[in-house]
Amino acid sequence: MRRPVTVAAAAVCVAAAWVVLCTVFLYHGNPTGLFYTGTDSKLPPELDAGHTYRVNDRIGYDGTFYHLIAHDPLNRRGFLTYTDTPSLRWRRIGVPALAALFGAAGGVDYFYIAIELAFLVFGVYWLARFAQEHGLHPAWGFAFFLIPAVGVSLDRMTVDLPLAALCIGLALCVRTGKATIATYGMLAAAPLIRDTGIILVAAWCVVAAARRNWRGTVLGALCAAPALAWWMYVRMHTPADMNPYL
């Protein structure tokens, strides 16, 4: 446990064991149970009988909608009619799109779960590195499990865990003073994973400008372009959010 990579490997084993145990003992071996689809949740025929496991809960949870998006990221199958706030949900395209891309030949649900676990590896590893930068033991990387978003995502397959990981990764980049192509990739990915990730882009630009790092400021601002373009596409192809606060 003296190396961050060892801590990350141990953490993902624990998380994977939790996912497998839940799948086997709670959802009768059906991994779609992890998306926590309620008994009253409306589903398209393609994902209803024989595919999606319904839990013993009338309402279900948000993972239900990201499961739908993973099977219809560009809304070519009309799945948005089965979500609560289509514009809000489809803005958070990052994880569902990756699952759809890697699972194009089959296994979308499995790839979605694998992506969640991959981000857990990054989150624990980056937190272990961050601890080292502060003179602490790398085992502090296990504290990633204490972030509420992590537990919720592992239990309900929401998109909060990946954004939490990127928060730590970007904090590590600021701490070490190293900005690479991967750094700006994380900045571009954050608001696509969850719309609140745009705050990270804004914060990066503010910090870079305060340090008179104009190149970093411009590159950081450009990282918002993919999300803004996607949000515009979503706005043009989905009905407006019904909730005023959105």
Side-chain angles (χ1 to χ4, degrees):
M1 292 302 170
R2 294 181 179 180
R3 299 175 58 192
V5 67
T6 307
V7 176
V12 75
C13 287
V14 171
W18 170 262
V19 168
V20 170
L21 288 172
C22 286
T23 300
V24 173
F25 292 103
L26 295 181
Y27 310 130
H28 302 95
N30 189 336
T32 61
L34 294 166
F35 295 98
Y36 213 74
T37 303
T39 54
D40 290 351
S41 298
K42 295 182 179 180
L43 292 175
E46 301 94 317
L47 299 182
D48 199 354
H51 179 91
T52 304
Y53 183 93
R54 292 180 181 271
V55 298
N56 188 25
D57 184 306
R58 186 176 63 83
I59 299 176
Y61 207 70
D62 293 3
T64 300
F65 307 120
Y66 303 122
H67 178 220
L68 289 172
I69 297 172
H71 285 272
D72 188 19
L74 297 178
N75 186 34
R76 292 176 176 174
R77 304 170 70 181
F79 285 8
L80 69 80
T81 57
Y82 297 93
T83 59
D84 55 353
T85 50
S87 182
L88 170 69
R89 302 299 180 187
W90 251 266
R91 285 199 293 268
R92 302 171 179 179
I93 192 64
V95 175
L98 286 176
L101 177 64
F102 292 122
V108 171
D109 302 328
Y110 290 100
F111 276 104
Y112 188 108
I113 297 168
I115 290 166
E116 292 274 5
L117 293 175
F119 273 104
L120 181 130
V121 171
F122 289 129
V124 173
Y125 175 78
W126 287 329
L127 187 55
R129 286 277 311 280
F130 192 81
Q132 280 188 324
E133 288 291 326
H134 286 78
L136 300 173
H137 197 284
W140 277 102
F142 285 116
F144 188 67
F145 283 111
L146 300 180
I147 299 174
V150 174
V152 172
S153 294
L154 287 177
D155 207 43
R156 298 288 187 267
M157 290 295 128
T158 61
V159 296
D160 306 274
L161 184 158
L163 182 61
L166 292 182
C167 286
I168 297 170
L170 289 168
L172 178 63
C173 291
V174 173
R175 173 69 180 180
T176 59
K178 298 178 181 178
T180 64
I181 294 177
T183 303
Y184 292 109
M186 288 191 287
L187 272 179
L192 286 170
I193 288 176
R194 200 175 192 279
D195 36 9
T196 48
I198 197 69
I199 297 172
L200 294 175
V201 179
W204 181 275
C205 293
V206 169
V207 171
R211 294 178 174 178
R212 298 185 181 278
N213 178 5
W214 306 121
R215 179 175 179 273
T217 304
V218 172
L219 290 176
L222 289 175
C223 288
L228 295 177
W230 173 252
W231 294 351
M232 186 178 298
Y233 174 87
V234 170
R235 183 65 187 88
M236 294 170 59
H237 293 83
T238 60
D241 292 319
M242 299 303 294
N243 298 318
Y245 71 87
L246 296 176

